[in-house]
């Protein structure tokens, strides 16, 4: 059973959005044995995911996988088969500081062979969240197809 971990900085916007949308794609593809999680490299205790994440996912009749943020833990990295970061800096940070992240950490857009970061839409309004999801969707679809 593959375990996929989506990582961003605060776990308030990009990683929870990507995780929930990817889980939907995985279920559509018949991949019922996949575990999908999201976490942040540096979260603040008690923070919630951005309300725009919930609002945007509702447009697709989806719910977020979590309401509060989740701090990335070493055990999450160890149990993950694939770690997908939103930025190159996040990937470098994990690979430099956590031995268990090496050789299984990528940026999300590298799935499409694109060397670009996924921008953070936090505090920029619902339309920026839509643009962010539009940017992530092709990579999430390709990932679901590859795991089929």
């Amino acid at each position: 059973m593959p375990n996929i971990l989506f990582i961003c900085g605060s776990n308030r916007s990009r990683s929870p959005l990507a995780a929930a949308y990817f889980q939907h794609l995985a279920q559509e593809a018949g991949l019922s044995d996949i575990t999908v999680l999201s976490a942040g490299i540096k979260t603040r205790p008690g923070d919630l995911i951005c309300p725009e994440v919930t609002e945007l996912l509702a447009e697709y009749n989806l719910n977020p996988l979590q309401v509060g943020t989740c701090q990335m833990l070493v055990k999450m990295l160890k149990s993950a088969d694939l770690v997908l970061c939103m930025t190159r800096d996040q990937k470098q940070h994990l690979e430099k500081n956590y031995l268990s992240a090496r050789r299984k950490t990528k940026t999300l857009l590298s799935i499409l062979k694109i060397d670009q970061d996924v921008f953070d839409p936090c505090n920029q309004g619902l339309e920026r969240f839509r643009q962010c999801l539009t940017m992530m969707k092709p990579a999430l679809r390709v990932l679901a197809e590859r795991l089929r």
Side-chain angles (χ1 to χ4, degrees), residues 37-85:
L37 299 171
S38 77
I41 291 174
K42 192 169 187 172
T43 63
R44 293 186 314 210
D47 270 1
L48 301 175
I49 63 171
C50 294
E52 293 90 344
V53 171
T54 303
E55 190 174 344
L56 180 54
L57 289 171
E59 293 178 8
Y60 294 90
N61 294 316
L62 302 173
N63 293 311
L65 304 182
Q66 66 205 47
V67 176
T69 60
C70 180
Q71 176 65 40
M72 190 269 319
L73 302 172
V74 174
K75 68 180 181 180
M76 294 171 137
L77 291 174
K78 287 181 178 178
S79 66
D81 297 302
L82 177 61
V83 179
L84 293 168
C85 297

Side-chain angles (χ1 to χ4, degrees), residues 20-141:
Y21 195 80
F22 177 73
Q23 183 171 329
H24 160 71
L25 293 175
Q27 288 172 343
E28 278 189 341
L31 302 168
S32 59
D33 62 342
I34 289 182
T35 301
V36 180
L37 299 171
S38 77
I41 291 174
K42 192 169 187 172
T43 63
R44 293 186 314 210
D47 270 1
L48 301 175
I49 63 171
C50 294
E52 293 90 344
V53 171
T54 303
E55 190 174 344
L56 180 54
L57 289 171
E59 293 178 8
Y60 294 90
N61 294 316
L62 302 173
N63 293 311
L65 304 182
Q66 66 205 47
V67 176
T69 60
C70 180
Q71 176 65 40
M72 190 269 319
L73 302 172
V74 174
K75 68 180 181 180
M76 294 171 137
L77 291 174
K78 287 181 178 178
S79 66
D81 297 302
L82 177 61
V83 179
L84 293 168
C85 297
M86 299 298 137
T87 70
R88 293 164 285 197
D89 286 346
Q90 292 161 358
K91 176 186 180 289
Q92 289 170 356
H93 170 79
L94 293 181
E95 290 178 333
K96 178 182 175 188
N97 294 295
Y98 302 97
L99 203 57
S100 56
R102 295 181 186 155
R103 291 182 293 282
K104 61 180 173 182
T105 302
K106 304 174 156 238
T107 62
L108 177 61
L109 296 181
S110 72
I111 291 170
L112 302 173
K113 298 185 182 355
I114 296 173
D115 187 29
Q116 183 180 350
D117 295 339
V118 176
F119 68 89
D120 188 353
C122 206
N123 300 319
Q124 297 179 46
L126 184 59
E127 188 54 37
R128 285 295 278 171
F129 277 81
R130 282 191 186 102
Q131 293 167 357
C132 182
L133 181 58
T134 297
M135 179 184 219
M136 293 189 290
K137 275 182 181 180
L140 297 170
R141 284 191 190 111

